[in-house]
Amino acid sequence: MNSLLLIYTGGTIGMMEEPTTGSLIPFDFKQLQDNVPELKRFNYHIDVVSFDDPIDSSDVNLSHWQKIADIITVNYEHYDGFVVLHGTDTMAYSASAISFMLENLSKPVIFTGSQLPIGKLRTDGKENLITSIEIAAAQDADGPIVQEVCIYFESQLFRGNRTHKYNTENFDAFESANFPALAEVGIHIFYNHDQLLRPNGTFTIRKNFDTRVTYLKMFPGITPAVVNGILSIPGLKGVVLETFGSGNTTTDKWFTDALENAIKSGIIILNVSQCNQGFVAQGRYETSSALNRIGVIGGADITSEAAIIKMMYLFGQELSPAEVKHYLGLSIRGELSENYES
Ligand code: ASP
């Protein structure tokens, strides 16, 4: 019999309305279980570990990621797969974080949640939970079909570090604009076998992050005060520069100089596009040529969410600046495409 571990962290799926304010607040796993009697009908052994204080995922921080990674690591040998119930707001960040923390996974870790609480009649939570369990339990002759960190939501399984929450209203809340779905779910579950990751070494947990990073988002009219203010944050080690189109910025000299000085002082800058789909190609336009010259790293087709988490992760691994730059340009967990046209 397959055995699975469900990790309940909170999120809308388990929320109820607070009686006086009407605001949604996280609730315990018991009410979730009461609303999904189907859980008892699975032919699997399913255990549950719940956060003592379930959270709205907007409150997630490093300690929660470490807790999730620890729970998976301690139980790694005892279960065939893991399902993490998590709020949707930061699920793309958390799935990215866990994907970097757990190196050489050979078992499925499926994040899911819902847009409507499980107690609501029209909830999307039941299907998301039930299918996530199916996927976490799915095996073929070579073992688990999925051996990586994914998000399952509204009939699609995505690589977690490729996702972006793009819709607050629809049940279809996530997209993976630069990477195909790993499974499409209808009457049958069709896996995209060619794209599924496989480990190439022993399973290792890496828990350290360094949060001395930030975003710098381009907008027409951005001022030296904003750029210099961000780049002079004490101790800053890394910046995810959110650029226009295929990696372009203003060519104003003050801007290029500010970036160049920051890079000379040791700050690493990664260029990520504000567009959801496509990739950064520094030098395609004159408006990104200077970035190549001063040493900004092109982020290819990585999402903004995965980019900031990857920086925090790499800075936490006691690597040299040259090594951090090297790994930022490479796919370490399938988070970017190395072979894209530039
Ligand atoms: N605010 C909620 C959360 O992220 C939203 C959700 O779960 O859909 O926890």
Side-chain angles (χ1 to χ4, degrees):
M1 195 196 265
N2 276 330
S3 62
L4 302 175
L5 185 63
L6 231 90
I7 303 168
Y8 175 58
T9 71
T12 296
I13 194 163
M15 287 191 184
M16 290 176 89
E17 279 166 22
E18 207 274 333
T20 46
T21 64
S23 297
L24 287 169
I25 49 168
F27 223 73
D28 62 17
F29 188 76
K30 169 86 175 59
Q31 69 88 25
L32 203 147
Q33 218 161 12
D34 292 346
N35 278 291
V36 195
E38 291 87 347
L39 283 175
K40 298 199 188 76
R41 293 176 49 200
F42 277 109
N43 207 8
Y44 313 136
H45 176 87
I46 302 177
D47 286 330
V48 179
V49 176
S50 173
F51 277 14
D52 292 338
D53 294 310
I55 56 164
D56 184 305
S57 76
S58 297
D59 277 326
V60 83
N61 60 38
L62 270 59
S63 71
H64 299 109
W65 296 338
Q66 282 157 351
K67 203 187 281 184
I68 296 168
D70 274 337
I71 293 171
I72 294 172
T73 305
V74 167
N75 291 288
Y76 195 69
E77 295 306 329
H78 309 307
Y79 294 93
D80 299 308
F82 302 85
V83 174
V84 182
L85 294 175
H86 190 287
T88 60
D89 288 348
T90 60
M91 196 185 285
Y93 293 91
S94 293
S96 298
I98 301 298
S99 78
F100 292 121
M101 294 167 93
L102 303 181
E103 190 176 0
N104 289 318
L105 258 184
S106 58
K107 299 191 177 185
V109 174
I110 313 296
F111 277 71
T112 197
S114 68
Q115 293 278 65
L116 271 181
I118 205 95
K120 296 276 183 197
L121 269 181
R122 291 178 50 250
T123 185
D124 51 329
K126 266 194 192 187
E127 196 283 322
N128 285 346
L129 173 56
I130 289 169
T131 304
S132 295
I133 290 173
E134 284 291 347
I135 292 171
Q139 306 248 345
D140 61 16
D142 302 323
I145 294 180
V146 176
Q147 306 187 11
E148 57 181 294
V149 178
C150 295
I151 289 183
Y152 175 73
F153 222 86
E154 188 64 9
S155 304
Q156 289 190 299
L157 183 73
F158 297 125
R159 176 164 301 151
N161 56 33
R162 291 290 198 147
T163 58
H164 167 66
K165 180 178 179 183
Y166 79 109
N167 202 314
T168 62
E169 178 64 23
N170 284 2
F171 288 152
D172 179 13
F174 288 91
E175 64 177 4
S176 167
N178 282 327
F179 197 72
L182 295 175
E184 299 279 355
V185 177
I187 292 175
H188 302 286
I189 302 180
F190 290 109
Y191 290 95
N192 191 348
H193 288 275
D194 292 347
Q195 301 291 353
L196 291 165
L197 281 181
R198 287 295 179 260
N200 58 11
T202 29
F203 174 67
T204 313
I205 177 174
R206 300 187 187 278
K207 292 206 296 190
N208 288 343
F209 286 95
D210 187 330
T211 54
R212 286 175 285 179
V213 297
T214 191
Y215 286 113
L216 170 52
K217 180 169 183 162
M218 292 305 303
F219 59 92
I222 194 167
T223 59
V226 169
V227 174
N228 293 329
I230 289 177
L231 295 177
S232 59
I233 293 171
L236 186 67
K237 295 177 90 169
V239 176
V240 173
L241 178 66
E242 292 191 334
T243 56
F244 306 125
S246 55
N248 307 313
T249 62
T250 170
T251 51
D252 282 352
K253 187 169 181 319
W254 67 262
F255 179 78
T256 315
D257 287 351
L259 257 46
E260 187 170 14
N261 288 337
I263 292 169
K264 282 190 180 144
S265 76
I267 293 173
I268 293 177
I269 304 182
L270 180 66
N271 184 352
V272 169
S273 175
Q274 290 177 20
C275 297
N276 286 350
Q277 197 159 3
F279 51 87
V280 163
Q282 285 184 176
R284 178 190 283 178
Y285 291 89
E286 182 62 29
T287 44
S288 60
S289 298
L291 303 182
N292 266 343
R293 178 179 58 75
I294 63 178
V296 171
I297 300 162
D301 60 356
I302 197 168
T303 62
S304 241
E305 291 91 332
I308 198 100
I309 302 290
K310 185 176 178 182
M311 266 200 168
M312 291 200 278
Y313 168 76
L314 291 175
F315 284 128
Q317 305 309 308
E318 292 177 12
L319 300 168
S320 69
E323 286 172 319
V324 171
K325 287 183 197 165
H326 172 74
Y327 287 118
L328 281 175
L330 289 180
S331 165
I332 58 172
R333 303 282 188 273
E335 72 283 3
L336 59 83
S337 310
E338 287 174 9
N339 300 319
Y340 57 90
E341 173 208 338
S342 60

